[in-house]
Amino acid sequence: QVQLVESGGGLVQAGGSLRLSCAASGSIFSINIMGWYRQAPGKQREWVAGITSGGTTTYADSVKGRFTISRVNAKKVYLQMNSLKPEDTAVYYCNAEVQATYGMEYVGYWGQGTQVTVSS
């Protein structure tokens, strides 16, 4: 079993900052890509940012230049969110592609989500 635990969400005014963290634990041999998604009320879940095991980062256009994803170690990532806007309000979910043992396929896991609310 693999668990992803997010933390760091909360309420912030527009223009403010928050840092989310995601830590993976359990039966993990290696993790490939770790990323963040978000889901606003009434909308589909959307991809926000991702980082590979080698440190390559990618971002959705809507957050480029404001959000930064970083990998603390093989099992933990941060999402630094600056210049937050009301439209960033959503539940943010961590996702990881996990290989449980050597040679097995990578399987995607999700965290439980953390609420980010940006007031105008």
Side-chain angles (χ1 to χ4, degrees):
Q1 283 287 66
V2 173
Q3 296 81 40
L4 299 179
V5 178
E6 304 108 330
S7 62
L11 173 64
V12 65
Q13 288 188 331
S17 299
L18 283 173
R19 188 178 75 172
L20 306 183
S21 66
C22 172
S25 62
S27 301
I28 299 171
F29 176 76
S30 70
I31 299 178
N32 185 14
I33 297 173
M34 294 189 77
W36 290 92
Y37 290 71
R38 66 187 181 186
Q39 187 166 19
K43 295 187 177 181
Q44 289 189 330
R45 189 173 298 188
E46 65 174 1
W47 171 76
V48 174
I51 185 167
T52 69
S53 57
T56 299
T57 58
T58 50
Y59 299 92
D61 287 344
S62 59
V63 306
K64 203 171 293 183
R66 300 187 298 120
F67 291 11
T68 302
I69 188 171
S70 59
R71 202 146 180 174
V72 178
N73 54 44
K75 299 181 183 180
K76 187 172 184 178
V77 294
Y78 290 138
L79 183 68
Q80 178 66 42
M81 305 185 295
N82 298 329
S83 302
L84 283 161
K85 305 175 181 180
E87 51 262 44
D88 294 317
T89 295
V91 178
Y92 283 71
Y93 297 91
C94 179
N95 176 270
E97 296 181 356
V98 177
Q99 186 184 43
T101 57
Y102 178 77
M104 287 187 66
E105 65 180 4
Y106 284 89
V107 176
Y109 291 88
W110 293 94
Q112 80 287 353
T114 185
Q115 177 70 47
V116 171
T117 302
V118 184
S119 63
S120 57

